Amino acid sequence: MRPMSGSASPRGIAAIVGVGPRLGRSVARKFAHEGYSVAILARDLGKRAFLLSSSRPCASPSASSLAAGKLSWLADEIAREAKAQVFAIRIDCADPKSVREAFEGVLSLGSVEVLAYTACEGPHATCQPTRFTDVAVESFVRSLAESAVGAFHCAQQVIPGMLERGRGTIIFTGSSASIRGFAGYCELSCGKFALRGLAQCLAREFQSSGIHIAHVIIDGVVGAPRIHGSSKGEQETASLDPDAVARTYWHIHVQEKGAWTQEMDLRA
């Protein structure tokens, strides 16, 4: 765990799990700018394009050996920009011990008011389907662990504190594979189906206790943040703006209890 500059916020901690250079980064920046201390948790920050579309709903690539340096660099960037306390924490969502140790670090910083789970949010655009008979059971199990079991463990770490305070927000990031199975992508689809089921179960169990749990279906490519005033090519306008998605996550967090969103889908 590496703490970056700034003082701890009285608003509490926003824990962003599975941070990458697009969506996770934008969500972390948004909550930092809104006055939260932020914990960014990731296994790596490898250079990859995030794809959660109906045409290529495939599984996440392997971790990068440059993980720690990239994660700390991103935390430092957000801390300077938002003048906020940002913590960079390594986590492997497929490893229960890693999740437990990571959240021991997070919870030592303060109360977690927001958990955004974006792990296994999507792969590179050139990912190809895999024949079912060629899928290794180890790969299948790991995909389930990253998509759903990791979310289960993370939620178990933060929900007790949220119950004590009578408030909190948990947002799970899904994809088009959360609601439709695709030939050649059984690993991702099964994991995302399970994540959606987890979100629905937790929402119905804990909403009455003041915990807002939502599942967001990202149906499309998450591109680079928009630069306002610049010309947009066809590929850019067809992708989702991660900053706009992050503002939607913030909107979910601040929704009034009389009209909470449990699921929404977003597309460009």
Side-chain angles (χ1 to χ4, degrees):
M1 180 173 69
R2 180 182 175 187
M4 312 314 290
S5 61
S7 57
S9 169
R11 303 193 71 172
I13 306 295
I16 317 301
V17 179
V19 171
R22 296 189 177 182
L23 178 56
R25 175 186 184 180
S26 290
V27 174
R29 289 176 61 215
K30 176 61 178 175
F31 279 87
H33 277 288
E34 294 294 343
Y36 282 81
S37 295
V38 174
I40 60 172
L41 300 94
R43 186 171 48 139
D44 72 273
L45 280 175
K47 294 182 179 179
R48 57 189 183 181
F50 293 149
L51 180 64
L52 297 91
S53 69
S54 57
S55 59
R56 294 183 182 273
C58 35
S60 293
S62 60
S64 166
S65 61
L66 301 178
K70 291 180 179 180
L71 191 63
S72 296
W73 175 86
L74 178 57
D76 191 34
E77 176 192 67
I78 297 171
R80 288 196 308 267
E81 179 184 304
K83 296 181 174 59
Q85 183 86 14
V86 182
F87 296 84
I89 303 175
R90 291 289 306 281
I91 191 172
D92 182 351
C93 293
D95 181 356
K97 182 174 182 288
S98 175
V99 174
R100 183 174 64 255
E101 291 176 347
F103 272 90
E104 285 176 357
V106 174
L107 293 170
S108 71
L109 308 173
S111 59
V112 175
E113 298 290 330
V114 181
L115 168 64
Y117 192 84
T118 64
C120 197
E121 59 169 291
H124 52 83
T126 59
C127 185
Q128 298 298 314
T130 303
R131 292 179 56 187
F132 176 73
T133 53
D134 294 333
V135 175
V137 66
E138 295 82 7
S139 177
F140 182 79
V141 170
R142 182 169 184 91
S143 182
L144 285 174
E146 290 179 343
S147 290
V149 181
F152 169 88
H153 287 301
C154 290
Q156 280 202 331
Q157 294 295 317
V158 303
I159 282 178
M162 292 179 175
L163 285 172
E164 288 181 6
R165 296 185 301 276
R167 67 177 186 272
T169 301
I170 299 177
I171 302 173
F172 297 113
T173 303
S175 73
S176 55
S178 302
I179 56 176
R180 292 187 297 275
F182 297 88
Y185 300 100
C186 69
E187 297 168 275
L188 182 67
S189 291
C190 289
K192 288 300 185 183
F193 266 70
L195 179 64
R196 187 187 188 208
L198 176 67
Q200 291 177 355
C201 291
L202 296 184
R204 286 163 175 78
E205 181 173 352
F206 295 111
Q207 177 170 306
S208 61
S209 300
I211 304 175
H212 186 185
I213 298 170
H215 178 247
V216 179
I217 298 169
I218 309 293
D219 187 11
V221 176
V222 179
R226 301 284 192 267
I227 300 176
H228 296 290
S230 65
S231 59
K232 300 179 178 63
E234 181 179 346
Q235 182 175 1
E236 181 181 357
T237 56
S239 64
L240 287 92
D241 180 356
D243 288 345
V245 177
R247 289 192 292 272
T248 300
Y249 279 38
W250 173 256
H251 171 70
I252 290 172
H253 173 54
V254 298
Q255 278 183 324
E256 296 184 11
K257 289 185 178 181
W260 271 357
T261 295
Q262 195 281 309
E263 183 170 82
M264 67 167 59
D265 61 336
L266 304 176
R267 60 183 57 85

